[in-house]
Amino acid sequence: MTAELVRGQNHPLSEVRLEVRISAGAPVVAALTVVGENGRVSGADRVAHPGAPALPGLEVSRQAAAEHRLAVDLAALPETVHRVDVLLALPGGPGAPARFGAVAAPFVAVTGLSGAALADYTITGLDAESAVIALELYRRQDAWKVRAVGQGYAGGLAELLTDQGLAEAHLLARTIEEAVAQGVARSVSAPPPQSADPGRSPRPAASDRTAPAAPQTAHTAPTAPQPARPEGTAPAATPTQTAPQGAPVIPARPGSPYDGQGADGAAHPTVPQQPLHPDGTAPHPSRPADGSTQPAVPGGPAAPDTGGAAGDATRPAGTTGGIDYNHPRRRTTAPPPPPQAAPPPAPGGPAQPVAGDAAGWSMDERLYNQVWGMFEDLARTVAAYRSAVDFADSRREKELDEALSDPRSRIGGQGDAAREAARARHSELVERAREVLDRDLAQLTAESEVVEPALPPAYAGWDNPVWHGYRVPMEIPMAARLGDLHLPEAPGLRIPMLLRLPLERGLWIDGGGSGGFGDTFADGADPRHLAMETAVSLAARLLAVYPAGEFGVHVIDPAGSAARALAPLVDTGVLAGPPARGAAGVEDVLSRLTSRVDLVQMALRGGASDALPPGYDTSEQLLIVNDFPHGFDDRAVTRLRYLADEGPSVGVHLMMVAAREDASGYGPLLDPLWRSLLRLTPVPDDHLADPWVGHAWTYLPPRVPQGSQVLRQVLAQVAAARRDLGR
């Protein structure tokens, strides 16, 4: 799990080949200094900066950017190196912020090459400082650690480098400023050439949707908001993607991760090695700060745009007042070519939606961010509508009270006229708010219709044609789809519910109707059977999105009551073993998995992860428990709680299919178990709380289309791939 550091805190590094990912509220300069045992930087040749971006084992970006990825190979550093400092500085210049207190707090994350975040740090408390030591990677007893520093300098880079003992600090600071200025000059794209054929009109520019930038939230890493552009103007092109014809492309050193940088100042690698790991890594972490709640939204508390009838009056001039496409995770970048070219927008109208039209280093990450951006846009526009309706209601009540407070107005037609006028104003406000909501919903629906067919298998529903061309993946995706979400104001607009992988908490499929959805089963359907079908659907998806042999599934079915629902898993042979029956089977499976957790934890805590027995299976494991607590004694219950608490950190996950009332005999003993699990339901239910704007989202479980064999076909391919590997 990611260590979220505070100032002064340190954390051991389990890897030596690292990426330092930086996300700031404005373009910043990133640099690395190599510090010796005496705590000083011996010379300018020990600093990696935009003018000299590469040193042995280190590489930084060549210009100022709102987002950076710095490459660090600690194993390639000389033995004399004691510490590597990560420096950030504001580049200055006309219109640029002069102090960190004027921009969003920078966010820094240290990740492994797989994208797994090892530690992150949000640099808070800065004010007049224009340069800061963000982190330090230091050697301690032949091991490397990271420490959150956050030491700022009002005198800029020159003062910072002087404090590090560099004699030519002022000269080097000027050199860095000149290199950054040259980088900015190079990043300005040339205008597209005029068409050689006078009868042909030039290619229309891609339009950008403009709206006030969304406020940052507690669970969203600070990212650079894009400045609003006039309607119909083109966003800056990224040379490494699809740039306008004739735009200059800045060549980079072979092997550099900074082969191109966009005109917006953000560094964009051309060939990402792997998608970002879903463990909350920068630059787009959206994981909740803790796993104690069940929010559907990845944001934190924030005052939503009041929008609607009341909000239109307060929007800045020149904005559309619609969906906020300038949200940090919705910033338009130049995506890979979409499945089909989108038609140009009508003059003055909104831009046509494009799949992958979000920030990210891979198409999967862009789609992930776009889906969550759609979620946040829907939450925001519905919150604006509800706020406008509440305002209209309160205003009507106030006007009625005022009209009736004078006894003279209660007699005759004066009071009736006042009441009618109040109702008319109320209806007008509600209608205006509904018009804004309908416009935003239409735009989101159009985007959903484009995005849904472009989703990869991990994000797609079982009815998506992408499953007919399914192949067992070679890499673990960022996330997996657990179902859909919608709000009552837009029941037809369903947002995929994506959960990052690997799972950080267990799942509970509630088959008892304890949450108040028991009336849904009035048609005679067995809730426990539906719950088990939902569990099988989720387990099949996890098996399908992991590489062959990287995910195993165990089943405890003490009474054998789930045999029919488990048939797809059993018949295709994808289970790690036959479903465990009776108390003896329960004891056997729990014993093996708890021993596995103990062994891996001891290896990791002792720093000897390579000392596991030869041939030890290190794949992720999922335990499906049906009909709990039948077949469980007190010892088995204790082991189950242990797996729920300690298992996810070492790759052992729990999926409970149970009714809470069946375990009521244990009293409050099992309350921590239920709270630790993410509760899902086998039927639509509005139990997922949204702490961001206070919505109760309706969860729709994943369903395989009636009569479809897609699930069995996918599992058959997974089983064949495992047999080819000898698993």
Side-chain angles (χ1 to χ4, degrees):
M1 296 186 58
T2 307
E4 298 178 355
L5 305 180
V6 297
R7 185 172 182 177
Q9 185 179 0
N10 61 58
H11 183 72
L13 294 173
S14 58
E15 302 182 36
V16 294
R17 300 186 65 186
L18 309 169
E19 274 190 347
V20 179
R21 298 177 179 179
I22 299 164
S23 180
V28 297
V29 179
L32 298 172
T33 59
V34 178
V35 182
E37 293 183 353
N38 60 357
R40 303 173 66 87
V41 179
S42 59
D45 59 343
R46 311 296 281 174
V47 182
H49 58 83
L55 292 177
L58 306 175
E59 186 169 2
V60 302
S61 174
R62 298 174 182 270
Q63 69 181 50
E67 297 171 359
H68 291 271
R69 283 189 172 190
L70 315 183
V72 178
D73 185 356
L74 299 175
L77 299 177
E79 291 292 333
T80 56
V81 175
H82 176 70
R83 192 178 80 226
V84 175
D85 288 346
V86 180
L87 315 182
L88 304 179
L90 294 171
R99 59 189 184 89
F100 276 111
V103 300
F107 178 87
V108 187
V110 179
T111 75
L113 290 185
S114 65
L118 307 176
D120 59 43
Y121 173 43
T122 301
I123 310 173
T124 57
L126 298 179
D127 186 13
E129 297 86 347
S130 59
V132 62
I133 302 177
L135 299 174
E136 63 180 22
L137 312 175
Y138 63 99
R139 197 193 304 263
R140 179 65 55 86
Q141 296 178 352
D142 297 328
W144 286 91
K145 294 186 176 184
V146 57
R147 177 183 287 116
V149 180
Q151 176 63 52
Y153 295 84
L157 267 178
E159 181 182 354
L160 187 156
L161 295 172
T162 299
D163 192 51
Q164 292 205 322
L166 187 62
E168 58 271 34
H170 291 272
L171 177 61
L172 180 58
R174 285 196 297 271
T175 301
I176 295 174
E177 292 173 0
E178 293 171 358
V180 171
Q182 292 174 2
V184 171
R186 289 197 303 268
S187 70
V188 178
S189 302
Q194 297 294 329
S195 173
D197 185 353
R200 296 175 56 190
S201 60
R203 181 178 61 184
S207 64
D208 192 19
R209 294 162 279 200
T210 58
Q216 288 188 341
T217 58
H219 297 312
T220 303
T223 52
Q226 294 286 61
R229 290 186 287 272
E231 192 76 28
T233 61
T238 306
T240 60
Q241 306 289 345
T242 307
Q245 184 178 358
V249 177
I250 307 171
R253 182 179 63 81
S256 169
Y258 299 98
D259 290 340
Q261 297 183 352
D264 61 352
H268 304 286
T270 54
V271 185
Q273 297 299 316
Q274 288 184 352
L276 285 181
H277 193 277
D279 190 15
T281 54
H284 304 291
S286 56
R287 175 176 57 82
D290 60 64
S292 61
T293 61
Q294 302 179 11
V297 63
D305 177 13
T306 56
D312 283 344
T314 60
R315 290 190 179 97
T319 64
T320 65
I323 299 299
D324 181 7
Y325 287 97
N326 282 336
H327 188 275
R329 280 198 292 279
R330 301 300 298 278
R331 290 175 295 129
T332 301
T333 61
Q340 57 183 7
Q352 297 297 319
V354 176
D357 191 17
W361 305 101
S362 69
M363 191 59 175
D364 282 1
E365 186 188 359
R366 293 180 183 202
L367 287 169
Y368 174 87
N369 289 331
Q370 186 171 12
V371 166
W372 279 114
M374 291 166 58
F375 177 96
E376 294 172 0
D377 287 343
L378 179 57
R380 185 179 297 108
T381 193
V382 170
Y385 170 73
R386 293 180 180 178
S387 176
V389 171
D390 290 343
F391 169 77
D393 291 343
S394 62
R395 177 173 175 175
R396 178 186 57 186
E397 297 302 321
K398 181 179 179 182
E399 290 178 349
L400 290 175
D401 290 343
E402 291 176 351
L404 298 177
S405 61
D406 186 356
R408 292 172 296 178
S409 64
R410 301 176 188 174
I411 304 173
Q414 185 177 357
D416 294 338
R419 285 190 289 270
E420 186 61 30
R423 294 190 185 101
R425 280 189 290 269
H426 174 269
S427 298
E428 180 185 2
L429 289 176
V430 172
E431 288 174 2
R432 288 170 55 192
R434 187 71 209 191
E435 288 175 1
V436 174
L437 175 66
D438 290 342
R439 181 192 61 200
D440 291 349
L441 293 181
Q443 198 166 347
L444 279 171
T445 300
E447 185 172 12
S448 176
E449 291 173 351
V450 172
V451 169
E452 190 73 38
L455 294 176
Y459 305 165
W462 286 114
D463 57 349
N464 193 309
V466 71
W467 287 107
H468 297 294
Y470 168 77
R471 294 293 181 271
V472 178
M474 302 298 294
E475 295 178 347
I476 302 174
M478 287 186 61
R481 185 172 185 163
L482 298 190
D484 295 329
L485 301 167
H486 76 79
L487 291 171
E489 286 82 358
L493 179 57
R494 300 182 176 185
I495 307 296
M497 179 181 174
L498 304 181
L499 192 68
R500 287 203 165 193
L501 297 179
L503 300 174
E504 294 186 353
R505 59 191 303 194
L507 304 176
W508 167 28
I509 317 300
D510 188 354
S514 58
F517 61 88
D519 293 341
T520 311
F521 302 110
D523 57 357
D526 181 6
R528 300 177 190 274
H529 178 71
L530 289 178
M532 198 63 205
E533 284 187 339
T534 302
V536 169
S537 174
L538 294 173
R541 178 177 294 273
L542 292 172
L543 283 166
V545 303
Y546 271 79
E550 293 296 321
F551 195 85
V553 177
H554 309 259
V555 175
I556 290 179
D557 185 20
S561 58
R564 182 159 60 97
L566 289 170
L569 298 176
V570 175
D571 295 346
T572 54
V574 294
L575 293 179
R581 304 285 177 84
V586 171
E587 177 67 20
D588 177 62
V589 173
L590 292 178
S591 177
R592 285 188 285 110
L593 291 179
T594 52
S595 297
R596 178 189 183 90
V597 172
D598 290 340
L599 179 61
V600 177
Q601 278 190 340
M602 286 190 295
L604 293 177
R605 290 171 180 172
S609 57
D610 55 347
L612 292 171
Y616 187 79
D617 181 12
T618 58
S619 62
E620 303 273 323
Q621 303 293 318
L622 174 69
L623 172 62
I624 302 176
V625 178
N626 182 48
D627 208 14
F628 177 81
H630 180 77
F632 282 73
D633 56 18
D634 291 346
R635 183 177 182 185
V637 170
T638 301
R639 286 181 167 176
L640 191 69
R641 290 185 56 188
Y642 176 74
L643 289 179
D645 293 339
E646 303 295 335
S649 63
V650 293
V652 177
H653 311 287
L654 180 63
M655 183 185 294
M656 297 278 289
V657 183
R660 187 169 183 174
E661 54 267 26
D662 291 347
S664 59
Y666 287 92
L669 178 65
L670 292 183
D671 286 351
L673 172 64
W674 303 117
R675 287 196 299 266
S676 70
L677 305 175
L678 173 62
R679 178 176 173 261
L680 304 176
T681 56
V683 294
D685 186 58
D686 59 349
H687 67 280
L688 286 175
D690 177 354
W692 185 40
V693 289
H695 297 329
W697 289 79
T698 297
Y699 168 76
L700 293 90
R703 284 281 182 261
V704 179
Q706 187 71 24
S708 174
Q709 296 297 313
V710 63
L711 189 143
R712 285 181 175 269
Q713 293 169 1
V714 168
L715 291 178
Q717 291 195 46
V718 172
R722 293 175 61 174
R723 287 194 297 270
D724 292 342
L725 291 176
R727 296 292 182 94

